[in-house]
């Protein structure tokens, strides 16, 4: 989807920011990209310089020009006061939660959160005296009813993992802020290019940069961006936990960021083609992708998002496990494997875990990532997969 007219200026600006922000060519002999700094110790010329508290770089874990370039670029793209880079996306999520929650607090988490987010809440937050309530992702303003005196934060993910329900972020954020609670968002699906987290009420925005930012299936990295009021607690949490991403990984993430806009437009175009084709198949009960006009989340998606990425769900009509296996085995272009956001197409079976709501699925649910291959080649690969599925079903 092309940005609509009244958004065109901002759209151009964001794509341009992704190309230009955070570059430090002058400090690096004109090199376009900030090089990889591998450093633990940073040396100083004399005692006074060593003893001064205001050196730009102090110790490798606390930042190098490579990590600073990445953070500067992300701050500009997110419109954030502060960004910290973490060793993985899930670590960025746990860092954001730890930046706001303390013992005795209550946390509201969307029922469609990325599953390891749930594990962290159930296993660790509980042990540390933070209670989690999972809520219906479609709750909107009614989330106000779930607040208790000790509710400290609302964790959102939109569209949610595996089932792609779109959340009414402005309504949820308004309810949360009215109660003095913070709003955390896992914005990995849309990226800052397609959803402006802070403009829609988030206080902390998380990105599994392993996905679209890295974009090439070769780096594990995450980040959290904060608005002004959450910048200090985020910075302190990241610092005190000793979190860090290597110079090589920061370099790869920054390199990926430069081409993210052009990749996302293509991922989106291909996903729309695949989704429309899949929807018409007799083996498919429905497709889960908010950019589709008849998707339940379409209205909110259209109101709040600037685009849709390449990841979507497919609910098959009832079919045997063997038939699903036949569908998977023989795919030539779709890799069978976890993660997404790289240049290549992927497919996995979706195992949906919920506690607050049900997701009644007609049959097996698949998750597809549309890569940068020619869409017609991808359709031909899926077409053969359906032929194998039918043959196996008899
Ligand atoms: C993959 C993913 C994560 C975790 O990222 P890692 O880098 O794999 O730790 C978090 N949230 C969402 C929505 C994801 O898809």
């Amino acid at each position: 989807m092309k940005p609509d007219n009244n958004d065109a200026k901002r759209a151009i600006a964001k794509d341009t920011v992704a190309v230009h922000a955070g570059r430090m060519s002058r400090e690096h002999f004109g090199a376009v990209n900030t090089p990889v700094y591998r450093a633990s110790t940073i040396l100083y010329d004399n005692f006074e310089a060593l003893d001064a508290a205001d050196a730009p770089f102090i110790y490798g874990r606390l930042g190098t020009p490579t990590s600073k370039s990445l953070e500067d670029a992300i701050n500009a793209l997110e419109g954030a006061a502060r960004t910290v880079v973490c060793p993985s996306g899930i670590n960025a999520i746990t860092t954001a939660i730890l930046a706001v929650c303390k013992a005795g607090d209550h946390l509201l988490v969307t029922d469609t959160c990325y599953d390891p987010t749930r594990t962290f809440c159930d296993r660790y937050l509980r042990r540390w005296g933070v209670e989690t309530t999972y809520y219906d992702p479609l709750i909107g303003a009614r989330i106000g009813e779930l607040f208790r005196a000790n509710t400290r934060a609302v964790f959102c993910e939109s569209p949610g993992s595996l089932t792609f329900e779109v959340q009414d972020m402005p309504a949820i954020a308004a309810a949360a802020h009215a109660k003095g609670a913070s709003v955390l968002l896992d914005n990995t699906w849309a990226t800052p290019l397609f959803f402006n987290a802070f403009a829609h009420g988030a206080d902390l925005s998380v990105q599994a940069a392993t996905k679209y930012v890295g974009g090439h299936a070769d780096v594990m990295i995450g980040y959290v961006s904060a608005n002004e009021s959450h910048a200090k607690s985020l910075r302190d949490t990241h610092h005190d936990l000793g979190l860090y991403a290597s110079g090589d990984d920061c370099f790869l993430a920054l390199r990926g960021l430069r081409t993210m806009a052009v990749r996302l437009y293509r991922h989106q175009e291909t996903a729309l083609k695949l989704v429309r084709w899949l929807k018409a198949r007799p083996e498919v009960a429905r497709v889960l992708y908010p950019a589709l006009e008849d998707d339940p989340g379409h209205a909110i998606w259209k109101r709040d998002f600037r685009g849709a990425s390449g990841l979507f769900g497919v609910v098959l009509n009832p079919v045997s496990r063997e038939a699903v296996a036949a569908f998977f085995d023989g795919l030539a272009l779709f890799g069978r494997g976890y993660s997404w956001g790289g240049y290549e197409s992927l497919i996995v079976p979706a195992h949906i875990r919920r506690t607050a709501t049900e997701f009644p699925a007609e049959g097996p649910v698949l998750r597809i990532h549309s890569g940068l291959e020619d869409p017609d080649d991808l359709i031909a690969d899926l077409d053969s997969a359906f032929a194998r599925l039918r043959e196996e079903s008899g």
Side-chain angles (χ1 to χ4, degrees):
M1 135 154 319
K2 288 276 172 285
D4 46 42
N5 286 337
N6 58 15
D7 218 14
K9 269 218 173 101
R10 239 179 68 226
I12 292 163
K14 280 224 178 183
D15 295 4
T16 307
V17 166
V19 171
H20 283 272
R23 280 169 34 181
M24 303 177 169
S25 306
R26 243 175 239 124
E27 287 92 322
H28 299 289
F29 304 97
V32 171
N33 294 325
T34 306
V36 174
Y37 277 78
R38 298 187 135 278
S40 53
T41 299
I42 310 283
L43 297 174
Y44 297 90
D45 281 349
N46 53 48
F47 173 83
E48 284 307 331
L50 177 64
D51 211 38
D54 61 350
F57 301 104
I58 298 160
Y59 182 51
R61 170 160 47 73
L62 308 180
T64 65
T66 316
S67 65
K68 184 175 187 311
S69 271
L70 177 60
E71 287 169 5
D72 287 354
I74 295 166
N75 279 337
L77 201 58
E78 294 272 2
R82 180 104 201 185
T83 293
V84 296
V85 180
C86 299
S88 69
I90 189 63
N91 181 260
I93 289 167
T94 60
T95 301
I97 293 172
L98 292 175
V100 295
C101 285
K102 62 178 186 316
D105 283 347
H106 174 235
L107 175 68
L108 290 165
V109 175
T110 177
D111 210 21
T112 47
C113 67
Y114 178 65
D115 203 59
T117 304
R118 184 184 287 267
T119 303
F120 177 73
C121 296
D122 292 350
R123 202 174 276 167
Y124 297 92
L125 289 187
R126 176 178 298 161
R127 186 192 292 171
W128 297 331
V130 178
E131 193 185 345
T132 303
T133 301
Y134 295 96
Y135 66 85
D136 179 353
L138 303 178
I139 197 164
R142 284 183 298 112
I143 197 157
E145 297 162 18
L146 299 182
F147 277 84
R148 304 177 190 166
N150 60 340
T151 304
R152 181 67 197 85
V154 182
F155 188 97
C156 305
E157 185 187 320
S158 179
S161 276
L162 304 178
T163 50
F164 301 92
E165 284 104 320
V166 181
Q167 299 199 254
D168 190 341
M169 285 300 297
I172 291 172
H177 291 152
K179 308 268 184 188
S182 300
V183 177
L184 281 52
L185 172 67
D186 181 341
N187 194 28
T188 302
W189 183 86
T191 84
L193 286 173
F194 283 170
F195 186 81
N196 186 331
F198 296 112
H200 291 89
D203 297 298
L204 291 169
S205 179
V206 172
Q207 189 69 205
T210 303
K211 310 288 169 54
Y212 283 122
V213 175
H216 294 72
D218 52 10
V219 58
M220 301 293 313
I221 194 164
Y223 71 77
V224 192
S225 296
N227 61 12
E228 199 63 56
S229 61
H230 290 67
K232 185 178 184 310
S233 63
L234 175 64
R235 185 253 170 213
D236 289 348
T237 306
H238 183 264
H239 176 274
D240 298 349
L241 291 173
L243 300 173
Y244 154 88
S246 79
D248 301 84
D249 292 344
C250 289
F251 179 89
L252 287 174
L254 193 51
R255 182 176 160 126
L257 192 72
R258 302 306 184 196
T259 59
M260 186 166 74
V262 69
R263 285 186 283 110
L264 276 175
Y265 293 129
R266 174 63 180 259
H267 285 299
Q268 165 172 258
E269 201 178 301
T270 301
L272 265 174
K273 267 196 187 169
L274 296 190
V275 153
R276 295 215 161 98
W277 182 84
L278 282 162
K279 215 163 104 76
R281 296 287 314 195
E283 302 88 348
V284 171
R286 57 199 160 107
V287 182
L288 313 170
Y289 190 58
L292 273 186
E293 293 74 11
D294 58 356
D295 186 272
H298 185 71
I300 292 180
W301 173 79
K302 204 170 149 99
R303 183 191 70 188
D304 294 347
F305 288 68
R306 281 190 43 232
S309 66
L311 192 75
F312 60 85
V314 181
V315 185
L316 297 175
N317 283 316
V319 68
S320 70
R321 186 180 165 84
E322 291 70 27
V324 175
F327 183 95
F328 273 68
D329 298 344
L331 281 166
L333 300 178
F334 287 86
R336 290 164 292 268
Y338 290 97
S339 200
W340 47 278
Y343 59 84
E344 82 291 18
S345 291
L346 290 171
I347 186 165
V348 287
H351 300 297
I352 299 164
R353 181 154 71 116
R354 294 211 172 186
T355 52
T357 52
E358 308 237 301
F359 185 79
E362 293 82 343
V365 183
L366 315 178
R367 190 189 70 188
I368 290 181
H369 180 247
S370 351
L372 303 179
E373 301 91 339
D374 183 286
D376 292 330
D377 289 336
L378 294 175
I379 286 174
D381 203 20
L382 292 172
D383 197 41
S384 315
F386 280 121
R388 289 191 303 275
L389 177 146
R390 277 199 312 277
E391 196 174 323
E392 181 64 40
S393 309

